[in-house]
Amino acid sequence: MTEFPYANGRVFLQGFSDEEAAEVMDVVDRMADLEAQVRLVRTWRSYRTTTFIPGPGSRLAYDDQEAPLGVSVSLPARIGVHAAREHLDVAVMLWEAEWIASPAAWSSLCRPAQLNAAQVIWMLAPPQQDERITRALITAADECAQEKKQAEDVVRYALLPPHRLDDARAHIAELTESRRRLCAELTRRGCTRPNFNATAVVQWAAEHLHPGDVVKQYSHMFMWRVGSGAAHGKVWPVPMLARTPEKYDDYIDARQALEPSHLHMFFTAATAMLQAALTLLEQQTSAGEE
């Protein structure tokens, strides 16, 4: 009989080898930690109506004041934490409903939550105001590009009356000019790569959050890349996500056995990012915290 310490006492596993028992206890420990993270996300429901408007004299109020071309540093950060929290809140609902054997759904919730929070960290964490504003400009230029694509779809599919299509074309021209001015300002600031890169943002945030800890940094990137494949219905992540995939005759069966360590890794990677993002946003919107 193998004895293992556990948070709530000691667990005795009979009929297991030491290796098998260690594997079982690793799962138990991960699930216990996941339950703790679920409880943390439930507490964040109190933020539902929090606006995070920068207080007078706060760092973010000053950043917004100094940012050129009407760009806001605070608004994408405020939107980002709410989007991250909402994704994780729905993941908690999956957990509570015991629908966790759904790798695409779990990935589709945890992965964007991590990105939402990583963007906030990436934008707010630099100590230099000039860098924070530069990153807000990069974000604004990307927003223009993405909104322009949506407006072009409206025109392409003629989804509006003729006079409204003229308005849509005018809006496309405005977005084109806004992005041109933003890119010109970024060039003036010495930014040679003004394009927003989500993977680079997640990597930067992971390295900022866990300096020197390559294991935790890797866990964020694993979730980002493998989670992307799972969320987009790709084949290659299935063996990485399924527990003992060699036991299954078909990948469809294997998909239904999500590896507990990946459940844990996906969720805790996202909650760690959001916790750091919330801390930054609360600090930088507090009055007199410039």
Side-chain angles (χ1 to χ4, degrees):
M1 182 180 297
T2 304
E3 179 184 359
F4 280 85
Y6 181 50
N8 296 322
R10 306 188 77 78
V11 174
F12 296 90
L13 297 176
Q14 189 169 9
F16 286 82
S17 67
D18 287 354
E19 183 178 345
E20 291 170 334
E23 182 180 348
V24 169
M25 289 313 303
D26 179 66
V27 172
V28 170
D29 286 338
R30 287 178 183 274
M31 293 300 99
D33 185 61
L34 184 53
E35 284 281 8
Q37 298 298 318
V38 165
R39 290 193 294 272
L40 175 63
V41 172
R42 288 191 189 112
T43 69
W44 290 339
R45 289 172 179 169
S46 62
Y47 285 112
R48 279 176 179 158
T49 58
T50 304
T51 59
F52 295 108
I53 293 174
S58 66
R59 173 188 276 190
L60 267 177
Y62 187 49
D63 286 354
D64 284 349
Q65 177 184 323
E66 294 298 308
L69 302 174
V71 167
S72 172
V73 182
S74 64
L75 183 57
R78 293 161 55 203
I79 294 292
V81 294
H82 278 293
R85 188 202 63 76
E86 288 165 7
H87 280 104
L88 287 178
D89 202 24
V90 176
V92 167
M93 295 177 192
L94 273 184
W95 174 261
E96 292 169 340
E98 299 183 357
W99 291 345
I100 54 174
S102 306
W106 193 253
S107 305
S108 296
L109 293 166
C110 295
R111 184 177 184 267
Q114 176 175 247
L115 175 60
N116 302 150
Q119 290 174 196
V120 177
I121 296 169
W122 175 76
M123 194 180 305
L124 301 189
Q128 307 87 358
Q129 183 187 62
D130 186 65
E131 181 62 21
R132 296 194 301 274
I133 290 176
T134 294
R135 294 182 179 193
L137 289 165
I138 291 171
T139 302
D142 182 68
E143 296 252 2
C144 284
Q146 298 305 320
E147 186 177 353
K148 179 184 173 184
K149 290 176 184 178
Q150 189 277 332
E152 287 171 340
D153 283 343
V154 170
V155 173
R156 180 179 299 111
Y157 295 107
L159 299 177
L160 295 172
H163 70 283
R164 295 290 304 280
L165 286 175
D166 289 340
D167 292 341
R169 293 186 184 97
H171 186 51
I172 290 169
E174 291 170 359
L175 290 167
T176 301
E177 175 60 16
S178 293
R179 189 173 190 279
R180 186 197 67 77
R181 293 171 62 201
L182 289 163
C183 289
E185 174 63 21
L186 285 164
T187 299
R188 187 189 71 78
R189 289 169 170 263
C191 179
T192 57
R193 293 184 177 181
N195 294 328
F196 181 86
N197 184 311
T199 299
V201 166
V202 172
Q203 185 172 356
W204 191 95
E207 292 172 358
H208 174 81
L209 200 57
H210 308 292
D213 190 335
V214 294
V215 173
K216 288 185 178 179
Q217 291 172 16
Y218 171 75
S219 71
H220 287 284
M221 299 312 296
F222 176 90
M223 193 265 261
W224 175 247
R225 296 188 189 281
V226 177
S228 173
H232 289 88
K234 302 300 182 182
V235 172
W236 67 266
V238 174
M240 301 182 190
L241 292 172
R243 188 169 190 185
T244 58
E246 68 277 2
K247 294 183 179 179
Y248 296 93
D249 295 328
D250 186 83
Y251 269 21
I252 301 300
D253 295 330
R255 288 184 77 258
Q256 305 309 313
L258 190 60
E259 166 63 52
S261 66
H262 295 149
L263 273 173
H264 176 263
M265 184 187 294
F266 277 37
F267 197 76
T268 56
T271 55
M273 283 283 190
L274 181 51
Q275 191 163 32
L278 281 166
T279 298
L280 277 171
L281 189 58
E282 289 182 317
Q283 289 173 345
Q284 295 187 24
T285 54
S286 297
E289 289 297 319
E290 181 190 325

